[in-house]
């Protein structure tokens, strides 16, 4: 029945075009939604945010539609983001989570800065690796990691100090050697005339 | 000696919108009269039904006295809600909030909670029983006209049950000062003698309707005082009771199942198909759908403090008096209807401001709840409701700055079907016709209503465009029109657009001739304008250097116009319509409290050619002559 078809809202917020869908997204809706998107792309819109939070039921073909739209938008150097956290839609998009930029709500989407960057990175990593950590475990692991780094730094510092001491010692010995050589040379030079006169014998070279 | 129990239920009411100052004065007089009666007849007990907002309008000194009377059990208060919600037309959650808030106001002001509920006009919905019980209500009051057969005359109270929940049900006998029984005591005796119930203590409720309007209040109070005097003389026979006291001491007569119902008018049969009846009137449906839409959007931002305040405004729109037909109040009266729209548009504007959208928005939704889709195009200043399934007409147009729906003219002819919008019967904008060409121009108004095409009720395909400059909706139909007996194909594309946040509606008509024949016809489009100044004749039509007063009462024909305006100082609005090509403007009489305008243009289309008509409607706010705002009256 036509009354069960999708409600669509299109509005601009800043540089982004929001496309908000509400209701059941059935196979019959796909051509309509595709046509609307392509018209908006032809009108020069490049930054799309599609809010699927109020979708009650989603046909697998709809996910394929969004993949096509993602390709189309990206080919025109555009941005295509999704906003949802509801279970039905999350389940439908699960195999393709790595391909889309998905936000659980618009508040998170609007948040910028380093924290948001870290959060996004965390999400990306969890998607790629499939590993999800709870906050206490993550904090504990961070603590351990930090401890390791501290220990490493301490060891490096220690070794640096040891190396410095050895270097100093080496330098000292080198200086003493140089000084000794000079003294020996000096003494040799002083003894040489006496050796030439035969008063002193050179015993340094003779074996006992 | 056994005494018959008698409950006096006083019901001060107003149907129409009344300025607050006048209402306060009227309520003051009523309460003074009530306290005087209590002093004069200390043996009598009164039950008072009053909505929360009326109680808030009562002078605090009188409230203090009322509080004292309630504490001493001289008066028991019965609730209708904060206002008087129309149970059958409102979203149930909104109704529950309304009743809940009303109970809170009554308890805060009087110090005693109310245990009774009276749905005005006996508008009963059995599905609400569980919610009413959850709010602590013990009984509900309905006219005994709703009861079946002999139970109408039973002197007692019943229990109504629905899906496992039950509530006390008390039937009332409505008394009106305009139509009183000739001998009151005789009438009362007869009522008790005709008792068909079997209880030890027969019980009757006398439901006094007391209009809160300066001219009629004195008459009604006079009648009440004389009736109360009569009852006081017969105290040995009739004991005056409060409802709760009676229910605590006496058992019910049995079960009663009352279906969803409404009683309009003083007496008469209750029609179970009352919703079909109501929706056969014009405008009520659109008003109600707007209420539902606003509530749905408010419900999404629940918990927000501003949403709570807006919800309280919605209680006034939900009032049953706004949704009943009548000559003095309700959607048939322009001022009343415009007031309801003004409140809804004010709330909508507030919600829109919080949503922070820019450059316009388009929503495609089943607004009319009839299985079809409506396209709602809006920006900060304007909101247009377009029906692509019925001729691509604009069925509602809000000028938000002035809180007015410019497309809300009432049609007194009732619809055959209870449909919200009927093409050709509902008074909308851009109702398109193709008229046969007569020479080069249509000569008289009578020729303007014939239609040889299928566009006015046809289904249009639509496309939405959003660009940095604005939004537009393009509606396309491949239709036809008749020349003699022969159908001729004709394509029509009409485009409506809003430019960013400006208060301008752009419209474009493009006709394409796909055939190999040349066409000559007259295109006409009809618009109905709803403005406060049209009712009192103060609105003027300006075309060039000419100015026309009392528009809507006379036939006007203004040829070759590209610019014309309607100025309404009462509403503070100036509407200017500009077109690229000259059009003929016809201003026709016959639309009560509205303005009917038809624009015509001769069209000549060569084979495989196109013709375009472009224009824009500018809405401007101007200084109002009247200081009193439409929304001040409640």
């Amino acid at each position: 029945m036509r009354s069960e078809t999708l409600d669509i809202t299109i509005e601009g917020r800043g540089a982004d075009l929001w496309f908000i869908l509400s209701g059941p997204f059935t196979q019959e809706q796909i051509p309509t939604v595709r046509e609307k998107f392509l018209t908006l792309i032809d009108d020069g819109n490049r930054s799309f945010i599609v809010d699927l939070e109020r979708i009650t039921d989603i046909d697998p073909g709809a996910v394929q539609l969004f993949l096509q739209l993602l390709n189309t938008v990206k080919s025109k150097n555009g941005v295509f983001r999704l906003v949802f956290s509801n279970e039905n839609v999350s389940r439908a998009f699960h195999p393709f989570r790595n391909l889309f930029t998905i936000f659980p709500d618009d508040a998170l989407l609007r948040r910028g800065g380093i924290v948001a960057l870290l959060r996004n990175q965390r999400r990306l990593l969890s998607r790629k690796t499939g590993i999800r950590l709870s906050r206490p475990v993550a904090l504990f692991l961070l603590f351990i990691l930090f401890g390791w780094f501290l220990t490493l730094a301490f060891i490096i510092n220690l070794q640096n100090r040891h190396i410095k001491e050895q270097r100093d010692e080496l330098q000292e010995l080198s200086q003493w050697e140089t000084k000794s050589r000079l003294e020996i040379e000096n003494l040799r030079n002083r003894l040489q005339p006496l050796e030439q006169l035969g008063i002193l014998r050179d015993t340094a070279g003779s074996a006992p | 000696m056994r005494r018959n129990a008698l409950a006096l239920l006083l019901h001060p009411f107003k149907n129409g919108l009344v300025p607050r100052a006048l209402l306060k004065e009227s309520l003051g007089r009523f309460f003074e009269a009530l306290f005087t009666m209590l002093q004069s007849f200390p043996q009598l007990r009164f039950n008072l039904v009053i909505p929360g907002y009326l109680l808030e309008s009562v002078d605090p000194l009188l409230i203090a006295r009322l509080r004292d009377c309630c504490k001493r059990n001289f008066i028991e208060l019965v609730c209708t809600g904060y206002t008087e919600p129309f149970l059958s037309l409102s979203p149930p959650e909104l109704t529950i909030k309304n009743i809940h808030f009303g109970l809170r106001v009554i308890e805060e002001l009087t110090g005693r909670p109310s245990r009774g509920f009276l749905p005005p006009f006996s508008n009963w919905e059995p599905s609400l029983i569980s919610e009413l019980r959850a709010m602590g209500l013990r009984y509900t009051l309905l006219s005994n006209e709703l009861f079946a057969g002999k139970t109408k005359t039973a002197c007692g109270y019943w229990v109504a049950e629905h899906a496992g929940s039950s509530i006390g049900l008390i039937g009332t006998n409505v008394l009106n000062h305009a139509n009183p029984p000739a001998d009151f005591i005789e009438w009362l005796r007869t009522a008790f003698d005709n008792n068909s119930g079997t209880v030890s203590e027969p019980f009757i409720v006398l439901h006094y309707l007391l209009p809160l309007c300066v001219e009629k209040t004195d008459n009604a109070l006079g009648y009440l005082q004389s009736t109360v005097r009569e009852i006081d003389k017969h105290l040995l026979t009739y004991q005056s009771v409060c409802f709760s006291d009676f229910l605590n001491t006496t058992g019910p007569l049995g079960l009663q199942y009352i279906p969803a119902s409404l009683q309009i008018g003083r007496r008469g049969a209750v029609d179970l198909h009352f919703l079909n009846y109501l929706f056969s009137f014009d405008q009520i449906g659109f008003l109600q759908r707007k209420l539902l839409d606003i509530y749905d959007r408010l419900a999404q931002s629940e918990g927000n403090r501003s949403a709570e305040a807006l919800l309280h405004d919605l209680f006034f729109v939900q009032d049953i008096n706004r949704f009943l037909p009548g000559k003095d109040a309700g959607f048939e009266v322009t001022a009343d209807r415009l007031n309801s729209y003004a409140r809804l548009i004010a709330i909508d504007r507030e919600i829109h401001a919080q949503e922070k959208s820019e450059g316009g928005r388009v929503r495609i939704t089943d607004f009319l709840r009839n299985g079809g889709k409506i396209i709602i195009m809006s920006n900060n200043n304007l909101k247009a409701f377009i029906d692509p399934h019925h001729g691509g007409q604009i069925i509602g147009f809000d000028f938000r700055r002035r809180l007015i729906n410019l497309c809300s003219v009432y049609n007194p002819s009732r619809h055959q079907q209870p449909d919200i919008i009927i093409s050709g019967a509902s008074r909308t904008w851009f109702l398109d016709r193709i008229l046969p060409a007569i020479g080069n121009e249509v000569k008289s108004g009578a020729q303007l209503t014939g239609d040889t095409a299928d566009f006015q009720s046809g289904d249009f395909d639509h496309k939405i465009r959003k660009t940095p400059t604005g939004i537009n909706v393009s509606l396309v139909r491949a239709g036809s029109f008749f020349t003699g007996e022969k159908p001729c194909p004709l394509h029509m594309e009409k485009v409506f657009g809003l430019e960013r946040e400006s208060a301008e509606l752009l419209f474009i008509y493009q006709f394409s001739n796909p055939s190999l024949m040349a066409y000559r016809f007259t295109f006409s489009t009809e618009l109905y304008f709803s403005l406060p100044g049209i009712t009192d004749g103060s609105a003027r039509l300006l075309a060039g250097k000419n100015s026309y007063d009392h528009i809507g009462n006379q036939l006007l024909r203004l040829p070759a116009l590209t610019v014309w305006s309607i100025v309404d100082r009462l509403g503070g609005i100036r509407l200017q319509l500009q077109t690229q090509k000259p059009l003929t403007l016809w201003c026709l009489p016959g639309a009560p409290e509205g303005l009917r305008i038809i624009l015509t243009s001769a069209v000549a289309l060569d084979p495989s050619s196109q013709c375009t008509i472009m224009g824009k409607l500018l809405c401007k706010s101007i200084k109002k002559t009247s200081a009193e705002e439409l929304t001040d009256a409640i």
Side-chain angles (χ1 to χ4, degrees):
Chain A
M1 195 171 126
R2 262 196 317 194
S3 68
E4 293 165 7
T5 56
L6 219 42
D7 281 358
I8 301 172
T9 303
I10 301 166
E11 64 180 15
R13 293 185 202 172
D16 302 318
L17 187 73
W18 281 70
F19 201 90
I20 304 165
L21 301 174
S22 164
F25 197 156
T26 58
Q27 200 184 26
E28 290 76 26
Q29 311 309 314
I30 294 170
T32 313
V33 173
R34 179 189 290 116
E35 181 251 320
K36 283 186 170 45
F37 255 107
L38 294 176
T39 310
L40 293 169
I41 292 170
D42 289 341
D43 287 339
N45 297 292
R46 291 289 178 262
S47 176
F48 291 90
I49 299 171
V50 182
D51 187 334
L52 302 173
E53 181 59 22
R54 286 179 220 142
I55 295 285
T56 52
D57 189 32
I58 184 164
D59 186 87
V63 182
Q64 298 300 322
L65 164 70
F66 285 115
L67 282 167
Q68 290 166 14
L69 291 172
L70 174 67
N71 283 338
T72 310
V73 169
K74 282 204 160 162
S75 70
K76 293 183 190 294
N77 297 320
V79 175
F80 191 87
R81 287 164 281 184
L82 299 176
V83 174
F84 62 82
S85 60
N86 91 43
E87 207 182 303
N88 283 346
V89 179
S90 299
R91 208 179 307 127
F93 276 87
H94 182 72
F96 310 103
R97 283 194 85 95
N98 293 339
L99 301 172
F100 290 102
T101 309
I102 300 172
F103 292 86
D105 55 53
D106 61 348
L108 212 59
L109 188 146
R110 276 184 267 121
R111 231 180 279 166
I114 293 172
V115 174
L117 198 66
L118 281 172
R119 277 210 176 91
N120 279 343
Q121 205 59 29
R122 182 198 78 187
R123 242 182 278 115
L124 268 167
L125 283 171
S126 78
R127 264 188 251 150
K128 279 185 183 160
T129 62
I131 298 170
R132 278 175 184 76
L133 299 172
S134 70
R135 214 177 284 247
V137 172
L139 279 171
F140 176 70
L141 287 174
L142 257 175
F143 180 72
I144 299 288
L145 210 63
F146 185 64
W148 283 349
F149 276 118
L150 264 181
T151 312
L152 192 66
F154 178 71
I155 292 170
I156 290 170
N157 192 28
L158 210 63
Q159 287 189 337
N160 275 346
R161 227 184 295 156
H162 187 59
I163 289 169
K164 191 176 173 219
E165 276 168 14
Q166 285 184 335
R167 203 186 300 133
D168 288 342
E169 201 182 330
L170 194 67
Q171 196 173 358
E172 207 179 301
L173 286 170
S174 300
Q175 280 176 352
W176 182 83
E177 193 202 354
T178 312
K179 198 172 159 190
S180 300
R181 277 188 198 278
L182 282 172
E183 265 183 40
I184 289 170
E185 196 57 45
N186 192 24
L187 286 169
R188 264 215 184 107
N189 289 340
R190 284 171 74 184
L191 287 174
Q192 202 176 10
L194 294 176
E195 280 171 6
Q196 281 173 356
L197 287 171
I199 296 168
L200 281 176
R201 258 190 307 161
D202 181 9
T203 56
S206 59
Chain B
M1 181 182 155
R2 194 193 80 177
R3 288 198 290 173
N4 296 323
L6 190 64
L8 295 162
L9 176 64
L10 307 184
H11 189 169
F13 74 94
K14 60 161 194 69
N15 292 338
L17 296 170
V18 174
R20 286 176 197 266
L22 201 62
L23 183 64
K24 188 167 180 168
E25 188 195 323
S26 206
L27 279 167
R29 286 169 56 208
F30 165 77
F31 276 99
E32 289 285 0
L34 174 62
F35 296 136
T36 306
M37 279 190 290
L38 273 170
Q39 258 181 331
S40 310
F41 310 108
Q43 300 300 319
L44 293 180
R45 300 288 177 265
F46 293 95
N47 301 277
L48 175 64
V49 55
I50 188 165
Y53 81 99
L54 286 185
L55 208 57
E56 280 181 339
S57 304
V58 176
D59 187 83
L61 290 172
L62 293 170
I63 289 286
R65 289 173 72 179
L66 177 66
R67 209 180 164 95
D68 184 54
C69 291
C70 290
K71 195 175 161 187
R72 295 197 280 164
N73 285 336
F74 290 163
I75 297 177
E76 177 167 333
L77 281 168
V78 176
C79 180
T80 67
Y82 183 67
T83 58
E84 295 177 314
F86 197 155
L87 307 186
S88 305
L89 286 194
S90 306
E93 300 83 8
L94 185 62
T95 300
I96 290 158
K97 285 182 171 115
N98 193 323
I99 298 170
H100 208 273
F101 190 58
L103 288 169
R104 216 172 79 197
V105 166
I106 286 175
E107 189 166 356
E108 275 171 13
L109 290 176
T110 65
R112 296 288 294 266
S114 170
R115 295 286 175 229
F117 175 68
L118 184 142
F121 297 95
S122 293
N123 171 225
W124 180 236
E125 285 289 334
S127 55
L128 277 178
I129 289 178
S130 58
E131 298 295 343
L132 294 175
R133 286 310 308 248
M135 283 189 260
L137 294 163
R138 290 183 56 205
Y139 60 89
T140 185
L141 296 142
L142 295 174
S143 167
N144 56 12
E145 294 289 331
L146 264 62
F147 290 65
K150 283 188 182 170
T151 56
K152 279 185 197 191
T153 54
C155 297
Y157 75 96
W158 304 85
V159 170
E161 186 268 341
H162 178 81
S165 299
S166 55
I167 194 169
L169 177 63
I170 304 174
T172 65
N173 297 279
V174 177
L175 289 180
N176 195 303
H177 72 282
N179 209 0
D183 183 342
F184 171 71
I185 291 296
E186 189 52 42
W187 175 87
L188 199 58
R189 195 176 296 130
T190 313
F192 277 110
D193 289 345
N194 290 342
N195 175 22
S196 58
T198 50
V199 278
S200 55
E201 193 176 349
F203 166 65
I204 271 182
V205 177
L206 300 177
H207 183 177
Y208 284 91
L209 293 170
L210 295 145
L212 286 172
C213 174
V214 176
E215 306 96 55
K216 293 177 194 169
T217 308
D218 287 344
N219 293 343
L221 284 173
Y223 173 66
L224 173 63
Q225 278 158 352
S226 68
T227 313
V228 163
R229 211 173 293 122
E230 285 295 314
I231 294 170
D232 189 62
K233 287 180 196 168
H234 294 84
L235 272 179
L236 291 176
T237 317
Y238 306 111
Q239 182 195 6
S240 163
V241 296
C242 288
F243 291 125
S244 290
D245 294 337
F246 185 79
L247 263 62
N248 283 342
T249 53
T250 312
L253 292 168
L255 282 170
Q256 274 292 307
Y257 289 88
I258 309 286
S261 50
L262 177 70
Q263 190 180 25
I264 306 175
R266 294 192 186 113
R267 278 186 194 81
V270 175
D271 183 359
L272 293 177
H273 297 98
F274 62 90
L275 285 176
N276 275 348
Y277 166 74
L278 281 178
F279 281 114
S280 69
F281 287 89
D282 197 32
Q283 281 297 315
I284 178 180
F286 192 82
L287 194 59
Q288 189 244 2
R289 295 312 199 245
K290 220 172 152 74
L291 168 70
L292 295 175
D293 185 58
I294 299 283
Y295 176 69
D296 285 345
R297 289 169 61 207
L298 262 184
Q300 283 166 15
S301 53
E302 212 160 329
N304 195 335
R305 203 178 286 178
S306 61
E308 290 295 318
L310 296 175
L311 212 61
H312 294 162
D313 287 339
L314 215 54
F315 292 158
F316 287 96
V317 185
Q318 189 191 14
D319 193 294
I320 194 171
N321 295 294
R322 310 280 75 77
F323 289 98
L324 291 179
K327 298 300 164 208
D328 301 319
F331 57 86
E332 286 191 70
V333 177
T334 302
D336 201 303
R337 191 171 67 251
L338 289 179
N339 182 283
S340 299
Y341 278 123
R343 284 187 186 275
L344 287 170
I345 294 169
I347 298 169
D348 183 34
R349 206 174 160 198
E350 196 54 50
I351 299 171
H352 181 84
Q354 288 170 16
E355 285 168 351
K356 297 189 179 106
S357 72
E358 295 167 21
R361 161 200 278 202
V362 173
R363 200 156 66 99
I364 304 167
T365 180
D366 186 7
F367 175 82
L368 296 181
R369 265 80 163 168
N370 63 356
K373 290 294 191 188
I374 296 293
I375 301 168
I376 305 172
M377 193 169 64
S378 61
N379 62 16
N380 285 347
N381 284 299
L382 302 176
K383 188 167 190 171
F385 297 78
I386 303 166
D387 187 351
H389 305 299
H390 294 97
Q393 297 164 42
I394 289 181
I395 60 174
F397 190 82
D398 298 342
F399 180 25
R400 288 171 135 168
R401 214 181 297 160
R402 278 290 180 234
L403 304 179
I404 185 167
N405 178 356
L406 291 168
C407 178
S408 61
V409 177
Y410 178 70
N411 184 354
S413 307
R414 282 170 47 191
H415 306 167
Q416 292 279 350
Q417 287 272 95
D419 290 332
I420 311 296
I421 299 290
I422 308 252
S423 292
S426 300
R427 296 190 167 173
T428 56
W429 283 10
F430 299 102
L431 180 71
D432 305 320
R433 297 185 180 93
I434 303 293
L435 309 173
I438 300 167
N440 279 331
E441 189 57 273
V442 173
K443 298 280 189 273
S444 74
Q447 294 166 289
L448 294 172
T449 50
D451 187 16
T452 62
D454 57 359
F455 291 106
Q456 76 167 268
S457 52
D459 207 344
F460 279 69
D461 294 323
H462 65 269
K463 253 191 191 177
I464 312 292
R465 308 196 79 98
K466 181 150 184 8
T467 62
T469 54
I471 46 169
N472 64 56
V473 173
S474 168
L475 302 156
V476 177
R477 178 171 168 81
S480 63
F481 72 102
F482 281 86
T483 49
E485 296 286 322
K486 203 166 98 180
C488 306
L490 180 68
H491 291 181
M492 182 197 284
E493 181 178 356
K494 64 182 184 181
V495 179
F496 295 114
L498 295 176
E499 277 191 12
R500 291 198 68 85
E501 307 299 349
S502 71
E504 290 178 14
L505 174 74
L506 307 169
F507 61 90
I508 302 171
Y509 282 91
Q510 186 172 72
F511 300 98
S512 306
N513 179 358
S515 74
L516 300 172
M517 297 183 310
Y519 292 158
R520 283 211 185 325
F521 55 81
T522 301
F523 165 68
S524 82
T525 189
E526 191 168 341
L527 299 100
Y528 282 89
F529 292 95
S530 179
L531 290 162
I534 288 169
T535 317
D536 72 349
S538 61
R540 287 162 42 231
L541 179 73
L542 306 175
K545 290 180 187 165
N546 301 317
S547 167
Y548 303 89
D549 293 339
H550 297 284
I551 46 177
N553 295 340
Q554 50 178 321
L555 172 66
L556 270 179
R557 178 180 176 268
L558 304 172
L561 287 180
T562 53
V563 181
W564 53 272
S565 306
I566 301 170
V567 176
D568 179 7
R569 288 265 172 218
L570 192 63
I573 299 165
R574 184 189 176 108
L575 297 173
Q576 185 176 69
L577 203 137
Q578 299 173 6
T579 51
Q580 190 197 29
K581 288 181 179 166
L583 304 179
T584 301
L585 182 147
W586 298 80
C587 190
L588 300 174
E593 301 182 3
L595 181 65
R596 184 183 180 194
I597 283 182
I598 297 181
L599 301 170
T600 62
S601 173
V603 175
L605 276 175
D606 290 331
S608 304
S609 69
Q610 288 176 340
C611 167
T612 305
I613 300 170
M614 285 170 51
K616 64 180 173 184
L617 176 72
L618 290 94
C619 301
K620 290 180 187 168
S621 300
I622 57 175
K623 194 174 166 188
K624 282 189 187 182
T625 50
S626 169
E628 195 179 323
E629 295 290 338
L630 267 166
T631 48
D632 183 49
I634 52 169

